[in-house]
Amino acid sequence: MTVHLLGIRHHGPGSARSVSTALDHLQPDAVLVEVPADVESTLSWIGRPGLVAPVALLGYAVAEPAHAVFAPFASFSPEWQAVRWANERTVVVRAIDLPLAISLGPSASDGDGLLPDAAPVDPLRQLAAVAGDSDPERWWEDVIEHRGDGQPAFDAVADAMAAAREGTVTSTGELRREAHMRRAIRAALKDGFERIVVVCGAWHVPALDVRQYTAAADASTLRGLKKTKVAAAWVPWTHRRLTTASGYGAGVDSPGWYRHVHDHPGRDGVARFFVDAARELRDRGLDASPDDLIASTRLADSLAALRGRPRAGLSEVLDAADATMGGLEVIRRHLIVGDALGAVPEGAPQVPLARDLAAEQRAARLKPDAADRTIEVDLRTPTGGRKSRLLHRLLALGVPWGVPVEGRGTSGTFRETWRVSWEPELSVRLVERSGYGTTVATAATARLVERSAAALTLPELVAVLELGLVADLPDAVRPSVRRLADLAANEPDVGHLMEVMAPLASTLRYGDVRSTDAASLRDVFDGLVVRVLASLVPATASLDDDAAARMVEGITAVQTALAMLDHDARRRAFPATLEQLAERRTSSEHGGLGLLAGRATRLLHDGGTWSAGQVERRLARALSTGTSPAVGAKFVEGFLAGSGTVLVHDAELLEVVDRWLSSLRPEAFDGVLPLLRRTFGGFEPAERRQLMSLLTGRLVTRPVGFGDDVDAARAAAVLETVRHLLGAAPGPSTMSSTSSSTAGAAGESAR
């Protein structure tokens, strides 16, 4: 009976090739891998159709799904290659690492009298330093990853790690893991296997010689460890999440490059990489010629020779690409790191919620992708409706696969724009949310009902309700509507009531686009209208400037909501309330009332309730000498906020404002100037130009020239040059046939 210890680097392409070579040579009858023992049954899926790396084993505590760990695998992971080799030949595979039931259990953090945890050492850095190389990654690539020599490489690694471990302190967790792995090796020997191969991290190789440790000592180390109930599932993973930068402790800097090195070993691999790089650049509209490929390959080999490396590595490839092809950021993102996203077949171990999501994704023709991309959804089509409902339901569930963004349409049209990107962490969210239900629809419904019951404010509740409607979750909508009616009936703040009217109106107006049943909301909305209109005037009796500004926004929102639904209150009840606000005395030094009165006057004007004469008289009264300049300025701000069109088209109103400004004393003018600048600064540039023209008596309807002081000869020379630039026929040498506006433009150029 023999035991062969193959010390590997997790996600090392050279280690993976060496494992495959060694297995072909040794022909073991049992393969033991450093994977938690209680997920052994899931390893049978490696090598089956549908399970495509990169993927990860997600292990989690059943009672607390958020307490979870990932065990990622890439196609270039040595463990993946070892298990795949064994499964293809029906060789026994055993997982020998410490079970998740212990590592996720109560004993995970206690000491149990063992050595205290110590900071892990970096054996690669130590070995590289001994070899005289300051870069441990480069050293490991040269001696292991670019070679794949099989058993001789593992013998050398074992000797190197034995030297690196001397004098180090092993942490509590590592002691337990190594004790469990030794116990599993003894069990395999006891079961009668003749040729046993153990694939484990190189650091553990010196500690897994069962002849150096007693079974009793290992049993003592593992005795009394508390366990918890766990479950495991396969989940898609990404190359980006395999990187060290993602926070993954066993990550690598360049997973895309490592996959290429594994799939295309040897010197031809560098040339193949530059072919892939050229294709990637061309797909993005960048230049990459055959000459660039030849130059890049030669330069990479030359740099390797100059730097004393056995063959070109990643640094040489990147330097050569940067010098000859450019587009280094594209190459780094899409080839060095990569956008690969794994896949999990339907029958593989998954939580029921994840399985239902996969079915929904297929029905909606929406494939999960690690890349950040933007999609547009047409709600009028069946497929578009399914996509929208699925993405909204996942938002309701707290799994933000997609986020709505501004696009060609808005939430109130037949089109939605989403930014979608599937991150592996979303798989953990699915596990966490699996307690709400076994399907996306039932789980999203349960979570919205929970949020609805917990909502304490109307905006919170309306957000829940709107999400339930667009996600087509009627069982969540009905209790939310009842809760909204109860909460609105007891809401004393009219500002909060006004705040929710616009989103409710939007939901009612566009509910039929998504085929949602929003009829139950109409009674609630009508009740809000009655309460707002009855409370608005008393609620605005005494407001400071900040509160008045918020109330103006609320009044505008009410106007928008009523117009959106063409509500009956828009024609009589709301204008009557606005008239009360507009006619209120504004002689107080407090400017809040002036702001409200000005806005109410503008809404009455825009709605056609007040004639131009009525508006002019109200504006004149607000800007009379009996009103303080501060209150008058506030009235102007409320009346003109956001648009000066009314002044452009009504000369009488413009004259009233101009006369008021002209009558102000210097100190009063200085006091209201900042407010007026803010008001007029909100106008469109074209509106400001028109107003200036009206006030100076020179209304401009078309571009004009630059006066009569133009040098005709110099202007003609400019025009001749422009004609040559445009390829036009030569023109006359003088300006006699040109229009005055053209001459003016040319004169400006001549200056």
Side-chain angles (χ1 to χ4, degrees), residues 422-446:
W422 184 266
E423 295 290 346
E425 291 84 354
L426 299 180
S427 299
V428 180
R429 292 280 188 92
L430 281 177
V431 173
E432 293 176 11
R433 301 295 190 258
S434 61
Y436 287 103
T438 57
T439 68
V440 174
T442 58
T445 296

Side-chain angles (χ1 to χ4, degrees), residues 485-701:
D486 294 340
L487 206 59
N490 296 290
E491 175 58 62
D493 191 336
V494 68
H496 290 166
L497 297 177
M498 291 192 294
E499 186 178 346
V500 301
M501 287 185 66
L504 278 180
S506 177
T507 301
L508 286 166
R509 172 64 180 84
Y510 298 109
D512 59 327
V513 176
R514 300 178 176 86
S515 300
T516 56
D517 180 15
S520 56
L521 277 179
R522 187 67 190 219
D523 290 341
V524 176
F525 184 84
D526 291 342
L528 288 178
V529 172
V530 172
R531 288 200 57 200
V532 166
L533 297 185
S535 306
L536 190 55
V537 174
T540 58
S542 179
L543 297 175
D544 60 20
D545 289 353
D546 293 337
R550 291 192 296 270
M551 190 61 70
V552 164
E553 293 178 0
I555 292 172
T556 305
V558 171
Q559 163 78 2
T560 302
L562 296 178
M564 196 181 300
L565 299 177
D566 194 22
H567 198 278
D568 290 341
R570 180 189 179 198
R571 284 174 279 279
R572 295 188 60 182
F574 186 56
T577 302
L578 290 178
E579 286 183 328
Q580 294 182 62
L581 294 175
E583 294 291 359
R584 180 179 281 162
R585 289 175 56 86
T586 58
S587 58
S588 169
E589 289 297 325
H590 213 302
L593 295 179
L595 185 68
L596 285 167
R599 193 59 191 163
T601 302
R602 177 61 179 270
L603 293 178
L604 290 168
H605 172 274
D606 292 347
T609 303
W610 275 12
S611 65
Q614 288 177 286
V615 173
E616 181 184 347
R617 288 191 293 274
R618 181 63 186 96
L619 183 61
R621 191 166 72 251
L623 302 183
S624 64
T625 55
T627 304
S628 69
V631 174
K634 282 289 184 180
F635 188 98
V636 171
E637 180 185 10
F639 184 74
L640 298 178
S643 172
T645 306
V646 65
L647 295 183
V648 172
H649 295 289
D650 195 321
E652 288 77 9
L653 291 180
L654 178 60
E655 184 178 353
V656 171
V657 175
D658 184 46
R659 189 166 54 247
W660 170 70
L661 279 172
S662 301
S663 67
L664 292 177
R665 297 177 180 177
E667 60 274 11
F669 182 82
D670 292 341
V672 301
L673 181 60
L675 189 150
L676 293 174
R677 289 192 61 182
R678 183 173 71 239
T679 302
F680 283 84
F683 296 172
E684 292 293 331
E687 291 177 341
R688 294 199 297 269
R689 285 196 299 269
Q690 291 277 32
L691 288 174
M692 177 59 70
S693 299
L694 288 170
L695 291 170
T696 57
R698 294 188 295 108
L699 179 59
V700 177
T701 58

